[in-house]
Each structure stands twice: as C-alpha cells, then as structure tokens.
Amino acid sequence: MKSFTVLLLVALAALAHAGTFKAPALSGKWHSAKKTYDLSSSSMPITLVLKQSNLKALETLVLDVSDPTSKNYGKHLTAAQVNEMTRPLPETYRLVHQWLQSENLAGKARATQGGSALKIDATVKDVERAFNTKVDMVTNGMKVKARAGDYTLPAGLEEHVVAVFGMHGLPLPHNKFVASANGPASVTPEVIGKTYNTSNAHGSSNKKNRQAVGEYQGQNALDTDTAAFFQKYVKGASAEDAKLYKVVGTDSQGYAGVEASLDVEYIMGVAPKILTEFWGYQQQDFCKDMQQFTAKILDTTDAPNVFSISYGWQGQLSQLGCQDNEIDAVDTNFQKLAARGISMIIASGDTGAAYAPSQNTLYPSWPASSPWVTSVGATRFVNQDPSQPEMATDQFGSGGGFSKMFDRSNAKWQEQHVQNYLSIAKGLPPSTVFDSKGRATPDVSALGEGYEVVSNGRTMAVGGTSASTPCFAGVVSLLNEARAKRGMSALGFLNPFIYSNPQAFTDITRGSNKIDRSGGPMKYGYETAKGWDPVTGMGTPLFGQLLTAALKK
C-alpha cells in the first residue's frame, strides 16, 4: 500500500503544472447574475472527451465507403467496429482515471460515446475543486445557468482530454420563427410530392429503415398536432402513420414548439410509413447538446439511418461559449457517424451569407458547415406559383458560404464544383470577408417558404431552412427504402453521392443570399449560378433521377 501511495504522489506531482482554458466572454444579453446563489451542492454535470485513435485512418475509410465509384461503397462499419478502431489508448484511460480518483470523481463517471468520453455527475463544488475554477450564475434576463470561469487541466492531461463540455456553454439565441407572409405559395406534402415526384413513394414500416429529428432548446411536438396534420394534409394516411415510432430523450406533451412541429410533420409527411423517432436534448447548452446527441447515436447500435437537424448558428461560436476543441470533438463524432452509414442532414441557416460588420466577415452556419454532414438551403416558386420553376428564397436568406473552421481537404468531392462557381460567379464579396478555400455550403436545397404546419392545434404557414431540411431528409429516407427492398445498404454519408450526380438535381439559377433573416438587404452575399452555388447548392431533388442513381450497383 505504501509503494502504491508513493507512486500515486509521484504521478500527481507530474500532473501538477496545469494549462488554462479561458472562458469566452459573455455576449448578447448574457451577463453575471446580481443575485447571490449558494451553488456548492448544485449539480453541474460535465463530459470529458478523450483523445481517440486512428482518426486519420477513419477519415480515409469514410471517404472510401461513401464514394459511389469505390468497390467498398456502402460497406459501413458497425458501432462496435467504430468504437474498436477509435478507442483511446490505455495510457489515456490510466491517467484520466488516476486524476479522477484523486479528485473523488471516479465513482461519478461513466463511459459514453463508445468509451471515448466520460460523463461525470459532478457538483459545482466538484468542478471548482477539480478544475481550479470559480462557478457563477449568468442570466440573459429569462434564463439563469451556472457557468465556470477560466479553468485548468493538469499538464499531462491536456494531450489526453481533448474537450470538456458543460463549463461555458450557452443556448442558441432566441430568434423569431420565420413566419410566411406576403402571400407565399402554400406548401403541403402533396405540393412537395408533385414538385419532386415523390407522390407515389412511401415506406413499409421497415424497422431497418428509420429516420429521426433532433430537437433542442426546449422544443417539443404534440402527438395531437401530428395526427391533425396527417388527417388534413397526408392523403390516404392511417391514424397509425401519424404516430412516432420512438422518443429518445424528451418530448413533453404539454406545449408544442413550432420548430419541432414543422420537423416532425414534414419528415413524416414527405415519407409516410417510414418509422420516425424524436430525439430531444433540452440542456440549454447548444454545443454540449450536440455532443450528447451525437454520442447517444454512436452508443445506439441500431440507430436511425437518417437524422434531420434544423438548428445552427451563423456567427462566432464563442458567443455560445463553444471552444474550438469542442467544435472539433463534435466534428469527430459526425465523422464516426458517417462511418456508420448514418446521414446527418442539417439546415444551412436563415440569415443568408450572414455578414457581421463588426468582424467584417461572413458566417456560414455550424454544424451545417461540417464536412461530414449534408447542408440544406431553401427555395421558393417563381411568382409564388407552384406551376413555375424554383428560385432562391427571398423571404429570408438561404444560409450559405465558405467555412473558416473547415477547409475542403475533407470535402474534395465538392472541389471541382466550387472552383467552377468561383470562376464564373458575379459580384463575389471581397476576399477579405470570406475564405474561398473553406468547406462550402449548402450542398442541396428544397422548398422553404409557406409550409402549412399544425402547432398547438393552430394551422399556420411557416418557412426557413428548418422546413427544407426535414423535407429533404424525408426524400433520402424514400431512397433508402428503395435500396432496402433490394438488399442494399443505406446511402449513409451523402455528399460524394450528391456531387457525383448533378443530373439528379434541378439547378437553381435565380436569386441570391444577400438577404438577412427578415428578408432585408445585406451588404455582402452570393448570387446563384449555373451548377453549384453557395445559395442553393447543387439544387433541388429530382426523385426519379436520384432513385436511378441510388439503385446503381
């Protein structure tokens, strides 16, 4: 016992010199709460993400199994195979466990994310002691939450713990929902079916072909609203078709959020009889929500094939309390989900090119800007007439542009198309406000105005890339249904397939995203063009052509 104690003291001494992680400055309406709170026994759960192995090899594998020209196309990994391939080294586990023991936290930790993360049911007192920090309460006038100041990790652990979630994170700012006005064309599942030729496609309640929506920020969907929507807008549907297959996390039946109502009704309405799940994460910490959400998918051996996410942020992520290492940790999870063959379909944002004068830069939306997800922009009908072609939405700005966080080294599938745009585009913003080498979004688009939604018993017309995203996700599930009937795997990570099949999309060449969230003009943005553009991506789906491409062997 004495020798063990000596060894432990020596090890802890080696970890004594710590690195400091600065708390991002509070922004927007957030400020320190004036009221004094006794936080010593308050709960403050945190998550440690550990350094993982073979991520470069995983990247190569993902691109191979997602390339339609590869002999390995569609040969996705199982959850166990991903976990085994990326498992942290024994030395990482040893040092982290040793430190947790010294802080009396080992008994409060449990593995998640396939063993590459540890969730710790800590108290504020635990956090302050273990991370050498001070926790205070902050508020935006509506919400109050605990937030750490600068914190430290012992030197020697920094290379083994790549991110700590739960210290600084804040929720997305509350944006007024994009309510359709000024006479947009009414969009229903029937209109979508006629526009994209999906009217005769449907699922078969096959448990191996499922889809899901991810919901955050306190959003819930009422079962009664979905039932009323199906009765009103989905022809030939049964009462059973309007029921969610499963809820993971939370979906309170007290009050509906318009966002959640829209997501559920249109992913299900576009793809009836595809089993649909609701994954709710309501912790009011967007970056942590994304980590917990993706970790839960990774821990689910039979997760849905398609996820639709209508949330994101077009701005500095530090405004949400997100650190760069946290963003990288979530991105690694997206990469692992791509290896699993799971399609992550995410809204490109509603603030156009999102020019921020104070930073003199343009902001595409995150997490839609990850190179391992598919980003969806928005369109409308010309003259608001469903018999007319589509153009870029102008009720709000279809989010898009070039990431400064991710370059195209992992997005080579879009390189030729993006270079073509840069060579022909008219009126590009100054090179000082965007990075032409960045991962470019969106990848595709769909109708995004005038969606008829039932929420809290009331029918309303709403819009946004929040509408186009579940619509496109439903289309992907219909493609997966056709593949499943032939014994083929799910499409998985979509982008290499999308960019190698331009004939399967209607090219949108009218409109721009020099438009803000309210439909007003913006100083800088991008114009649509022939081929891919950072307003509508490769265009809107042609289901027949997509089906032909998806069923190729």
Side-chain angles (χ1 to χ4, degrees):
M1 175 63 84
K2 183 177 179 180
S3 61
F4 173 79
T5 303
V6 171
L7 287 172
L8 180 59
L9 290 172
V10 170
L12 292 177
L15 297 177
H17 300 290
T20 299
F21 295 80
K22 295 286 186 182
L26 291 171
S27 63
K29 296 181 179 179
W30 286 96
H31 59 274
S32 295
K34 294 180 180 179
K35 183 178 178 181
T36 302
Y37 293 85
D38 179 10
L39 300 174
S40 56
S41 61
S42 298
S43 175
M44 190 173 178
I46 59 170
T47 299
L48 307 181
V49 177
L50 309 182
K51 182 180 180 182
Q52 296 162 70
S53 305
N54 302 314
L55 294 183
K56 195 66 181 175
L58 182 71
E59 171 190 311
T60 300
L61 183 147
V62 170
L63 293 173
D64 187 31
V65 301
S66 306
D67 180 356
T69 66
S70 170
K71 65 180 181 180
N72 295 317
Y73 181 57
K75 296 179 180 179
H76 306 121
L77 300 188
T78 64
Q81 289 171 327
V82 170
N83 294 343
E84 182 62 31
M85 183 176 187
T86 60
R87 192 179 308 282
L89 295 174
E91 179 72 355
T92 294
Y93 284 128
R94 184 183 70 81
L95 286 173
V96 172
H97 181 69
Q98 189 177 73
W99 173 64
L100 291 175
Q101 277 189 316
S102 73
E103 297 290 349
N104 296 318
L105 290 173
K108 298 181 178 183
R110 58 189 175 89
T112 182
Q113 200 172 285
S116 61
L118 296 173
K119 291 180 73 172
I120 303 172
D121 295 322
T123 64
V124 167
K125 187 176 180 179
D126 291 330
V127 170
E128 290 185 327
R129 182 190 67 248
F131 294 92
N132 190 28
T133 188
K134 179 71 171 66
V135 175
D136 290 311
M137 297 300 286
V138 297
T139 181
N140 63 355
M142 297 176 63
K143 300 180 179 72
V144 179
K145 72 187 306 288
R147 190 175 193 256
D150 299 348
Y151 71 89
T152 61
L153 275 174
L157 276 192
E158 289 178 81
E159 61 182 275
H160 298 280
V161 177
V162 298
V164 181
F165 287 88
M167 302 294 276
H168 303 135
L170 300 170
L172 289 170
H174 177 72
N175 285 319
K176 187 177 180 181
F177 203 84
V178 179
S180 291
N182 301 321
S186 177
V187 174
T188 65
E190 182 178 7
V191 171
I192 291 168
K194 289 179 179 178
T195 303
Y196 300 137
N197 198 29
T198 60
S199 298
N200 296 322
H202 56 79
S204 59
S205 300
N206 179 359
K207 292 182 181 179
K208 293 185 178 180
N209 181 35
R210 308 194 315 279
Q211 60 187 6
V213 296
E215 303 295 335
Y216 320 92
Q217 311 295 118
Q219 287 280 324
N220 299 288
L222 295 182
D223 295 341
T224 52
D225 286 339
T226 310
F229 175 84
F230 263 68
Q231 187 175 26
K232 188 173 184 178
Y233 293 117
V234 185
K235 290 185 176 180
S238 68
E240 198 66 25
D241 294 336
K243 294 180 180 178
L244 288 169
Y245 174 68
K246 184 189 293 185
V247 172
V248 178
T250 60
D251 183 22
S252 168
Q253 291 300 294
Y255 187 83
V258 177
E259 178 63 74
S261 301
L262 169 62
D263 290 343
V264 168
E265 289 167 13
Y266 276 88
I267 196 171
M268 294 176 70
V270 170
K273 297 186 185 299
I274 299 286
L275 297 179
T276 302
E277 301 181 11
F278 185 105
W279 288 49
Y281 286 78
Q282 317 291 356
Q283 296 165 340
Q284 303 301 326
D285 176 344
F286 185 62
C287 281
K288 185 178 180 182
D289 281 354
M290 292 306 302
Q291 186 276 326
Q292 302 287 290
F293 170 66
T294 52
K296 179 63 177 177
I297 304 172
L298 288 169
D299 285 337
T300 304
T301 56
D302 63 339
N305 310 93
V306 173
F307 279 84
S308 174
I309 302 170
S310 294
Y311 301 78
W313 179 240
Q314 288 184 265
Q316 289 181 312
L317 286 166
S318 60
Q319 293 175 302
L320 304 181
C322 296
Q323 306 274 20
D324 288 349
N325 56 359
E326 295 170 5
I327 297 162
D328 289 341
V330 173
D331 198 61
T332 295
N333 281 1
F334 284 135
Q335 184 181 350
K336 293 162 76 173
L337 291 172
R340 290 270 304 275
I342 295 172
S343 303
M344 303 300 290
I345 301 172
I346 304 182
S348 70
D350 300 339
T351 315
Y355 176 63
S358 59
Q359 289 102 44
N360 193 36
T361 194
L362 299 172
Y363 284 105
S365 185
W366 182 84
S369 56
S370 166
W372 306 108
V373 309
T374 298
S375 173
V376 185
T379 63
R380 71 166 173 88
F381 294 115
V382 172
N383 297 327
Q384 299 292 359
D385 181 350
S387 69
Q388 296 295 307
E390 292 171 80
M391 60 175 283
T393 179
D394 53 9
Q395 182 183 57
F396 57 91
S398 177
F402 299 81
S403 174
K404 291 187 176 180
M405 294 186 295
F406 306 108
D407 60 24
R408 289 197 298 279
S409 60
N410 287 331
K412 293 178 181 176
W413 26 263
Q414 70 172 181
E415 184 66 28
Q416 180 181 346
H417 299 274
V418 175
Q419 289 294 348
N420 175 69
Y421 176 78
L422 292 170
S423 70
I424 66 171
K426 297 179 180 179
L428 277 174
S431 60
T432 53
V433 303
F434 78 105
D435 184 353
S436 63
K437 295 182 174 61
R439 151 70 165 133
T441 55
D443 300 301
V444 296
S445 285
L447 288 166
E449 295 184 17
Y451 278 53
E452 299 293 338
V453 173
V454 178
S455 189
N456 295 303
R458 187 165 68 93
T459 301
M460 62 189 78
V462 298
T465 54
S466 301
S468 56
T469 299
C471 168
F472 187 80
V475 171
V476 174
S477 289
L478 294 174
L479 296 173
N480 281 339
E481 180 73 15
R483 285 175 62 89
K485 287 179 179 177
R486 296 198 181 186
M488 303 169 77
S489 65
L491 285 166
F493 174 46
L494 293 167
N495 293 357
F497 170 80
I498 288 169
Y499 285 85
S500 63
N501 287 288
Q503 81 288 351
F505 297 88
T506 297
D507 190 12
I508 307 300
T509 57
R510 180 171 172 177
S512 82
N513 65 0
K514 296 179 182 178
I515 301 168
D516 66 19
R517 187 178 179 84
S518 64
M522 187 177 291
K523 184 175 182 180
Y524 297 125
Y526 306 95
E527 300 287 340
T528 56
K530 185 175 176 57
W532 178 89
D533 58 65
V535 186
T536 59
M538 295 293 285
T540 57
L542 290 167
F543 187 71
Q545 295 278 11
L546 281 168
L547 190 60
T548 298
L551 295 179
K552 282 183 181 177
K553 294 196 175 181

